[in-house]
């Protein structure tokens, strides 16, 4: 059936809803066109976010005579003409177009490339990839690499363990360093060859160090100095000396340390071509607000620009290529990307669409939610497609004092060899390790109270199999890649579905099998039910009997019992599932206001934000 909507209308949808009118769950700003847009989303509940699935594809194809994508079920189209908003910006400030962007020819973008050579990477890099055993790109890499190579600012969203790191590292290495495409004009653009050309920011030392290792692996031992880590907890003067001596082209670090060294004038990033914010939703949270603000304002800013001039701010954002990455993309990230990036695109495993066509309600809902609560919807949207499809989820009900014992039985029942158990408080975490060890299970603790060396030693032991159960907190929830990890256990409940998704994603990496078990008290079962609804995955109740995991049919019984329990009702009241906004009131004169996307969202207990108990991120 021919669609009623023309491709032009797609952008009308983006344009007739003025951005300022959009609020969470707002329907008043929606025009007729946008209503049609949503109804189309409903019809494709289980499909990925593509224009095809939004109902625009057929018409678009007919009118623009675009070729079909190679993949039958993947239809992605791309604007051939610039949206009006873009034209307006260009007219307002012509100097903004410092970085020339080519329109992506979507027909030529392989969404499931069979080899890295199809993606336009230079041959020295492909050779290195083959040497390291990377032969076939993942879906998200197939979509992201050509898009970044065409100079687009992007938000990369794909489920945990799907290879997002290489999705941005490879296009950077194609343009920066010894493996780059020799025809690259980068050096002329950036001026001095000794300038930092790429800054990669990650929210934890562990993740930053992991990224450094991934880049070093590709560069090879002879080129290790091209990349340098700048993480908190390590000697700052040594890092500054290394910067001076080695003149790295790529730095990877935590926001605090990068901002600190940059403020001291020891890190020259004005000519920087790439800024990557890995785990962007975490980086935009309240904890990192100031540091990230500084980084966004300084990286890729040409020297000589007036830091207080509005005009120069625009030039600044266009100078660098901004890449934002996460498995979970709440709408706050979409807003931040619109604010800090230049015409950003949302890159998912099988689709590339302009971010400006997204509204809070238009993010793909792969599974319907029955809740009418718009906050819940937003939380749901943020976690859609964040979990590897093969992961299995269960929950098990026990008393508080039996949790560790249940964990032990769970490990034996599943015969798990590499387990990450998450808790919320350091003291209880230490007790759990003590109990496990006392019962003969090799366990270790990983949390922010440990020094940098202690943390990396424990991680090494866990990765090498010397430690079977790693008991940790949110420190290890994001980005940590231990491919062997076959079981994740929530000994304490995560604060929200986003935290659940990242914890769960430590297992089942890159198509491997993985199980997630949440061990909770009866009064907490309603939380698991809500997580299940938000994540759109079944989480059946189970027991561990006679060394086996048994899925019981007591689900309803538990739900009933917990909802009747007085304590549980009180808890539910307290643990109100409301996303809270921590307003940021910062507007220094002459400086750009921190966008509202710097608000952090979390569930709330007693009306106060449920901040991470150990305040681990502050230790950066
Ligand atoms: N094309 C590939 N072929 C084989 N292995 C790959 C490929 N791409 C990535 N990997 C490996 O897959 C694992 C997961 O990759 P990565 O850590 O980048 O996932 P991610 O999507 O960033 O996960 P998270 O969201 O948890 O941070 C890593 O061990 C990485 O080396």
């Amino acid at each position: 059936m021919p669609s009623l909507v023309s491709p032009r209308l797609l952008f009308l949808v983006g344009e007739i809803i003025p951005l300022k009118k959009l609020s969470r769950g707002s329907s008043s700003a929606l025009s007729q066109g946008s209503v049609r847009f949503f109804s189309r989303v409903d019809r494709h509940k289980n499909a990925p976010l593509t224009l095809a699935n939004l109902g625009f594809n057929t018409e678009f194809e007919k009118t623009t005579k675009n070729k079909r994508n190679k993949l039958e079920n993947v239809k992605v189209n791309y604007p051939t003409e610039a949206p009006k908003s873009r034209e307006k910006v260009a007219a307002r400030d012509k100097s903004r177009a410092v970085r020339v962007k080519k329109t992506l020819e979507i027909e030529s973008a392989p969404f499931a490339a069979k080899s890295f050579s199809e993606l336009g990477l230079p041959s020295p890099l492909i050779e290195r990839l083959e040497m390291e055993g990377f032969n076939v790109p993942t879906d998200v890499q197939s979509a992201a690499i050509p898009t970044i190579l065409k100079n687009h600012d992007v938000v990369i969203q794909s489920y945990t363990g799907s290879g997002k790191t290489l999705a941005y590292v490879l296009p950077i290495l194609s343009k920066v360093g010894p493996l780059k495409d020799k025809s690259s004009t980068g050096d002329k653009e950036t001026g001095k060859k000794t300038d930092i050309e790429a800054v990669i920011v990650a929210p934890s030392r562990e993740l930053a160090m992991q990224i450094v290792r991934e880049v070093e692996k590709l560069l090879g031992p002879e080129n290790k100095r091209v990349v340098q880590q700048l993480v908190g907890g390590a000697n700052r003067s040594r890092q500054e000396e290394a910067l001076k001596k080695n003149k790295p082209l790529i730095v990877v670090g935590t926001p605090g340390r990068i901002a600190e060294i940059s403020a001291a004038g020891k890190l020259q990033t004005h000519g920087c071509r790439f800024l990557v914010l890995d785990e962007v939703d975490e980086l935009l949270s309240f904890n990192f607000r100031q540091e990230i603000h500084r980084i966004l304002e300084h990286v890729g800013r040409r020297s000589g620009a007036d830091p207080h001039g509005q005009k120069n701010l625009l030039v600044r954002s266009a100078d660098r290529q901004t890449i934002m990455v996460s498995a979970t993309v709440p709408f706050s990230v979409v807003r931040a990307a619109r604010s800090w990036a230049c015409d950003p695109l949302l890159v998912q495993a099988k689709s590339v669409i302009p971010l400006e066509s997204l509204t809070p309600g238009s993010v793909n809902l792969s599974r319907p939610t029955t809740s009418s609560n718009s906050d819940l919807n937003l939380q749901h949207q943020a976690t859609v497609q964040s979990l590897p499809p093969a992961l299995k989820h269960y929950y098990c009900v026990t008393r508080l004092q039996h949790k560790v014992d249940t964990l032990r039985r769970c490990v034996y029942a599943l015969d798990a060899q590499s387990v990450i158990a998450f808790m919320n408080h350091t003291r209880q975490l230490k007790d759990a390790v003590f109990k496990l060890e006392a019962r003969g299970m090799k366990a270790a603790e990983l949390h922010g109270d440990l020094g940098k060396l202690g943390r990396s030693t424990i991680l090494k032991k866990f990765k090498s199999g010397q430690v079977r159960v790693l008991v940790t907190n949110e420190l290890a929830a994001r980005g940590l890649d231990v491919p062997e990890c076959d079981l994740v256990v929530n000994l304490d409940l995560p604060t929200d579905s986003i935290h659940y998704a990242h914890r769960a994603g430590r297992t089942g990496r890159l198509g491997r099998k993985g199980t997630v078990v949440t061990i909770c008290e009866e009064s907490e079962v309603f939380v698991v039910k809500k997580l299940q609804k938000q994540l759109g995955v079944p989480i059946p109740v189970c027991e561990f009997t006679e060394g086996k995991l048994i899925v019981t049919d007591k689900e309803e019984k538990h739900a009933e019992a917990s909802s009747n329990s007085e304590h549980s009702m009180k808890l539910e009241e307290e643990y109100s599932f409301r996303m809270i906004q921590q307003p940021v009131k910062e507007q220094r004169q002459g400086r750009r206001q921190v966008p509202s996307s710097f608000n952090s969202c979390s569930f709330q207990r007693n009306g106060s934000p449920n901040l991470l108990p150990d305040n681990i991120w502050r230790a950066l």
Side-chain angles (χ1 to χ4, degrees):
M1 199 183 108
S3 165
L4 297 168
V5 186
S6 76
R8 183 75 193 117
L9 260 181
L10 170 68
F11 295 102
L12 283 177
V13 170
E15 282 176 44
I16 50 185
I17 311 168
L19 217 80
K20 59 184 174 190
K21 281 195 189 171
L22 291 176
S23 61
R24 294 200 157 144
S26 156
S27 59
S28 59
L30 302 176
S31 70
Q32 210 183 340
S34 59
V35 172
R36 210 176 319 167
F37 185 82
F38 289 121
S39 66
R40 280 157 194 273
V41 174
D42 285 340
R43 270 193 265 151
H44 301 273
K45 285 163 190 160
N46 297 314
L49 178 60
T50 66
L51 295 188
N53 294 328
L54 296 173
F56 294 103
N57 203 286
T58 321
E59 179 75 8
F60 202 2
E61 273 183 9
K62 280 185 183 170
T63 51
T64 58
K65 292 198 175 73
N66 271 349
K67 284 175 203 162
R68 257 171 201 274
N69 195 286
K70 278 179 199 166
L71 276 180
E72 246 177 52
N73 57 341
V74 181
K75 296 174 188 170
V76 183
N77 285 310
Y78 201 72
T80 45
E81 99 189 61
K84 266 187 183 171
S85 58
R86 229 183 268 185
E87 286 164 17
K88 275 184 222 154
V89 174
R92 198 170 60 220
D93 188 349
K94 282 179 187 161
S95 62
R96 186 178 180 179
V98 174
R99 186 155 44 83
V100 181
K101 291 188 179 179
K102 293 174 197 162
T103 307
L104 178 64
E105 291 153 27
I106 212 75
E107 316 94 281
S108 64
F111 281 89
K114 291 199 174 61
S115 69
F116 282 104
S117 52
E118 286 176 44
L119 301 175
L121 297 171
S123 23
L125 185 53
I126 292 170
E127 275 166 33
R128 285 295 317 163
L129 279 166
E130 281 166 5
M131 277 169 78
E132 293 300 328
F134 299 112
N135 299 311
V136 183
T138 65
D139 284 352
V140 73
Q141 290 164 1
S142 300
I145 292 168
T147 313
I148 299 173
L149 285 176
K150 299 235 174 189
N151 299 335
H152 287 280
D153 285 357
V154 292
V155 173
I156 305 175
Q157 187 278 324
S158 175
Y159 59 78
T160 52
S162 56
K164 292 187 290 293
T165 314
L166 286 188
Y168 65 77
V169 163
L170 294 179
I172 292 177
L173 289 181
S174 311
K175 298 196 178 185
V176 173
L179 306 174
K180 75 176 176 190
D181 186 351
K182 298 289 180 235
S183 62
S184 169
T185 53
D187 294 340
K188 276 177 232 158
E189 280 169 21
T190 52
K192 277 188 289 175
K193 276 189 181 173
T194 51
D195 272 359
I196 303 289
E197 297 207 32
V199 173
I200 302 173
V201 193
S204 73
R205 296 171 203 172
E206 280 71 18
L207 183 51
M209 280 149 59
Q210 187 177 290
I211 298 166
V212 170
R213 279 195 298 274
E214 197 95 344
V215 178
E216 280 178 348
K217 205 157 73 177
L218 291 171
L219 286 169
E222 67 280 15
N223 295 314
K224 268 188 171 181
R225 289 184 174 181
V226 171
V227 60
Q228 188 183 324
Q229 67 185 37
L230 296 178
V231 298
N235 188 310
R236 188 181 129 187
S237 346
R238 255 191 241 155
Q239 289 175 349
E240 289 174 355
E241 271 166 35
L243 278 173
K244 214 166 148 190
K245 190 171 154 219
N246 300 335
K247 300 193 173 13
L249 298 172
I250 303 169
V251 292
V252 186
T254 48
R257 184 51 57 93
I258 291 179
E260 212 179 358
I261 297 185
S262 158
K266 305 278 171 63
L267 185 68
Q268 299 307 322
T269 56
H270 291 169
C272 186
R273 301 161 69 191
F274 296 96
L275 172 64
V276 181
L277 302 181
D278 202 339
E279 306 295 346
V280 59
D281 51 332
E282 179 64 30
L283 290 175
L284 293 177
S285 75
F286 191 77
N287 289 347
F288 298 117
R289 185 173 50 93
Q290 279 179 343
E291 292 90 348
I292 291 295
H293 190 213
R294 189 190 158 85
I295 290 167
L296 281 163
E297 281 221 323
H298 284 78
V299 172
R301 183 199 133 198
R302 284 188 190 283
S303 51
D306 172 10
H308 301 298
Q310 180 67 16
K311 192 178 158 196
N312 286 318
L313 279 170
L314 287 172
V315 172
R316 193 180 304 172
S317 69
D319 262 359
R320 61 157 191 253
Q321 200 170 341
T322 310
I323 300 167
M324 302 183 172
V325 186
S326 184
T328 49
V329 176
F331 198 73
S332 56
V333 169
V334 174
R335 271 202 308 259
R338 283 175 183 168
S339 172
W340 292 106
C342 182
D343 297 335
L345 300 173
L346 174 68
V347 178
Q348 292 179 303
K350 288 178 178 173
S351 76
V352 179
I353 60 167
L355 215 65
E356 67 186 62
S357 68
L358 291 180
T359 62
S362 72
V363 181
N364 180 32
L365 298 177
S366 65
R367 293 167 195 93
T369 172
T370 50
S371 169
S372 56
N373 182 334
S374 62
D375 285 346
L376 199 73
N377 285 343
L378 281 170
Q379 191 77 359
H380 177 91
Q381 287 168 22
T383 51
V384 155
Q385 296 177 350
S386 60
L387 289 166
L391 266 195
K392 287 189 177 150
H393 307 259
Y394 302 98
Y395 76 93
C396 170
V397 179
T398 190
R399 284 166 185 255
L400 181 66
Q401 62 270 34
H402 296 152
K403 277 192 173 183
V404 176
D405 207 45
T406 310
L407 163 66
R408 205 172 51 88
R409 285 192 286 127
C410 171
V411 172
Y412 286 132
L414 294 167
D415 192 26
Q417 299 306 315
S418 183
V419 183
I420 303 183
F422 287 98
M423 296 190 78
N424 293 340
H425 303 275
T426 308
R427 225 170 94 194
Q428 279 94 321
L429 189 157
K430 288 178 179 174
D431 289 348
V433 172
F434 183 77
K435 281 184 194 166
L436 287 169
E437 289 262 292
R439 285 168 178 79
M441 187 166 276
K442 198 78 200 115
E445 59 194 77
L446 180 72
H447 48 79
D449 288 357
L450 300 172
K452 183 175 170 272
L453 193 66
R455 276 153 67 164
S456 48
T457 310
I458 284 166
L459 258 180
K460 260 186 212 153
K461 282 187 177 176
F462 180 59
K463 286 182 178 177
S464 66
Q466 291 174 63
V467 168
R468 190 173 184 183
V469 183
L470 182 74
V471 189
T472 184
N473 53 22
E474 296 305 320
L475 179 77
R478 279 188 181 250
L480 202 72
D481 182 50
V482 184
E484 297 77 22
C485 175
D486 48 1
L487 173 65
V488 161
V489 177
N490 288 314
L491 269 182
D492 284 328
L493 287 169
T495 47
D496 57 28
S497 57
I498 291 180
H499 286 82
Y500 182 97
H502 286 282
R503 286 179 175 192
R506 295 318 99 210
T507 183
R509 314 232 350 125
L510 211 74
R512 292 178 180 89
K513 281 185 184 170
T515 309
V516 186
V517 178
T518 299
I519 299 175
C520 63
E521 292 177 75
E522 197 147 288
S523 58
E524 295 170 323
V525 170
F526 78 94
V527 180
V528 180
K529 300 280 172 196
K530 296 216 174 182
L531 289 171
Q532 174 176 268
K533 226 181 262 178
Q534 289 174 348
L535 292 155
V537 292
I539 312 182
V541 62
C542 74
E543 278 175 4
F544 302 103
T545 353
E546 294 171 3
K548 284 186 185 133
L549 180 150
I550 313 237
V551 178
T552 59
D553 57 356
K554 291 179 194 159
E555 213 166 338
E556 289 311 310
K557 217 175 114 194
H558 277 306
E560 218 175 279
S562 61
S563 64
N564 287 341
S565 130
E566 207 178 295
H567 174 58
S568 149
M569 282 165 80
K570 208 173 146 216
L571 237 176
E572 184 154 9
E573 241 169 58
E574 267 181 49
Y575 208 107
S576 60
F577 267 68
R578 279 191 298 121
M579 284 175 82
I580 56 154
Q581 292 285 304
Q582 294 170 349
V584 178
K585 291 176 195 159
E586 183 189 291
Q587 180 156 36
R588 275 176 245 154
Q589 218 185 350
R591 297 196 95 191
R592 187 175 186 157
Q593 193 180 6
V594 180
S596 54
S597 34
F598 277 88
N599 297 339
S600 74
C601 300
S602 66
F603 292 133
Q604 189 176 16
R605 218 185 249 273
N606 282 335
S608 60
N610 196 358
L611 290 176
L612 298 175
D614 299 314
N615 237 350
I616 46 172
W617 309 113
R618 292 208 180 280
L620 293 165

